[in-house]
Coordinates of all heavy atoms in Angstrom, one line a residue:
E65 N 21.2 -2.8 6.7 CA 20.7 -3.2 8.0 C 19.2 -3.5 7.9 O 18.7 -4.6 8.4 CB 20.9 -2.1 9.0 CG 20.4 -2.5 10.4 CD 20.6 -1.3 11.4 OE1 20.5 -0.2 11.0 OE2 20.9 -1.6 12.6
R69 N 17.4 -7.2 8.4 CA 16.4 -7.4 9.5 C 15.1 -8.0 8.9 O 14.5 -8.8 9.5 CB 16.2 -6.1 10.2 CG 17.3 -5.7 11.2 CD 17.0 -4.5 12.0 NE 18.0 -4.2 13.0 CZ 18.0 -3.1 13.8 NH1 17.0 -2.3 13.8 NH2 19.0 -3.0 14.7
D271 N 8.0 -5.0 11.8 CA 8.3 -3.6 11.6 C 9.0 -3.0 12.9 O 9.9 -2.1 12.8 CB 7.1 -2.8 11.2 CG 6.7 -3.0 9.8 OD1 7.6 -3.5 9.0 OD2 5.6 -2.6 9.4
W272 N 8.5 -3.5 14.0 CA 9.1 -3.0 15.3 C 10.6 -3.4 15.4 O 11.5 -2.6 15.7 CB 8.3 -3.6 16.5 CG 8.8 -3.0 17.8 CD1 9.7 -3.5 18.7 CD2 8.2 -1.8 18.4 NE1 9.8 -2.8 19.8 CE2 8.9 -1.7 19.7 CE3 7.3 -0.9 18.1 CZ2 8.7 -0.7 20.6 CZ3 7.0 0.2 19.0 CH2 7.7 0.3 20.2
F273 N 10.9 -4.6 15.0 CA 12.3 -5.1 15.0 C 13.1 -4.4 14.0 O 14.3 -4.0 14.3 CB 12.2 -6.6 14.6 CG 13.6 -7.2 14.4 CD1 14.5 -7.3 15.5 CD2 14.0 -7.7 13.2 CE1 15.8 -7.9 15.3 CE2 15.3 -8.2 13.0 CZ 16.2 -8.3 14.1
I274 N 12.6 -4.1 12.8 CA 13.3 -3.4 11.8 C 13.7 -1.9 12.3 O 14.8 -1.4 12.0 CB 12.5 -3.3 10.4 CG1 12.5 -4.7 9.8 CG2 13.1 -2.3 9.5 CD1 11.6 -4.8 8.6
E275 N 12.7 -1.3 13.0 CA 13.0 0.0 13.5 C 13.8 0.1 14.7 O 14.6 1.1 14.9 CB 11.6 0.7 13.7 CG 10.8 1.0 12.5 CD 11.5 1.9 11.4 OE1 12.3 2.7 11.9 OE2 11.2 1.7 10.3
T276 N 13.7 -0.8 15.6 CA 14.3 -0.7 16.9 C 15.3 -1.8 17.2 O 16.1 -1.6 18.1 CB 13.2 -0.8 18.0 OG1 12.7 -2.2 18.1 CG2 12.0 0.1 17.8
G277 N 15.3 -2.9 16.5 CA 16.2 -4.0 16.8 C 15.7 -4.9 18.0 O 16.3 -5.9 18.3
E278 N 14.5 -4.6 18.5 CA 13.9 -5.3 19.6 C 13.0 -6.4 19.1 O 12.1 -6.1 18.3 CB 13.2 -4.4 20.6 CG 12.5 -5.2 21.7 CD 11.6 -4.3 22.6 OE1 11.4 -3.1 22.2 OE2 11.1 -4.8 23.6
R279 N 13.2 -7.6 19.5 CA 12.3 -8.7 19.0 C 11.2 -8.9 20.0 O 11.4 -9.1 21.2 CB 13.1 -10.0 18.9 CG 12.3 -11.2 18.4 CD 13.2 -12.4 18.1 NE 12.3 -13.6 17.9 CZ 12.8 -14.8 17.5 NH1 14.1 -14.9 17.4 NH2 12.0 -15.8 17.3

Side-chain angles (χ1 to χ4, degrees):
E65 181 182 34
R69 286 183 175 181
D271 280 351
W272 188 267
F273 173 66
I274 290 170
E275 293 299 334
T276 70
E278 178 187 4
R279 180 172 171 179

